[in-house]
Amino acid sequence: MITSKTKVKAIGKTKAVGRIQVENQKLHRAGFIVGARYDRVFDSYDSSTDGFVVLSLNPTGAYAMAGNKGVPVLDIKCNEALELFGEGGVVELVYEAGQITLVRGFL
């Protein structure tokens, strides 16, 4: 069940690496609280999809949520994001309990 959606207006770069940064309470409602661990899986572009990224909560996950005064911050820094969505590209986040899917968005 989809709980909500939001859009990130642009994929940025930091030190020549792609970056997606999101800070909001929708992360918290999906279970992605400060310190929560998660895994991420990239699905590259093929003829049937524009590519997407799935973030799934996992107590032993490879990544951890950051935070700012109790507000969760999702900070993905990797070239796979840049390759999937392009620099300056729009990304839509689809929030579900325990999972967030990032897909190509449109303004």
Side-chain angles (χ1 to χ4, degrees):
M1 179 177 149
I2 296 174
T3 57
S4 64
K5 295 181 180 182
T6 192
K7 287 187 180 178
V8 175
K9 291 193 167 85
I11 303 299
K13 283 174 94 175
T14 181
K15 297 181 183 176
V17 176
R19 184 176 197 182
I20 300 171
Q21 187 173 24
V22 180
E23 178 179 350
N24 64 38
Q25 288 298 333
K26 292 178 184 179
L27 295 165
H28 187 274
R29 288 192 292 272
F32 286 75
I33 60 174
V34 176
R37 302 211 57 91
Y38 66 94
D39 288 318
R40 65 184 184 209
V41 175
F42 287 84
D43 183 0
S44 299
Y45 174 83
D46 64 29
S47 60
S48 64
T49 180
D50 279 338
F52 58 90
V53 182
V54 177
L55 311 177
S56 300
L57 290 176
N58 178 350
T60 60
Y63 304 95
M65 290 295 293
N68 184 12
K69 298 180 184 175
V71 177
V73 175
L74 175 63
D75 193 9
I76 298 174
K77 290 182 257 185
C78 63
N79 283 325
E80 291 91 345
L82 194 60
E83 290 170 16
L84 275 178
F85 304 117
E87 185 175 357
V90 176
V91 177
E92 183 172 7
L93 285 78
V94 180
Y95 301 87
E96 301 177 72
Q99 181 174 297
I100 299 172
T101 305
L102 290 76
V103 296
R104 185 179 307 273
F106 302 95
L107 289 178

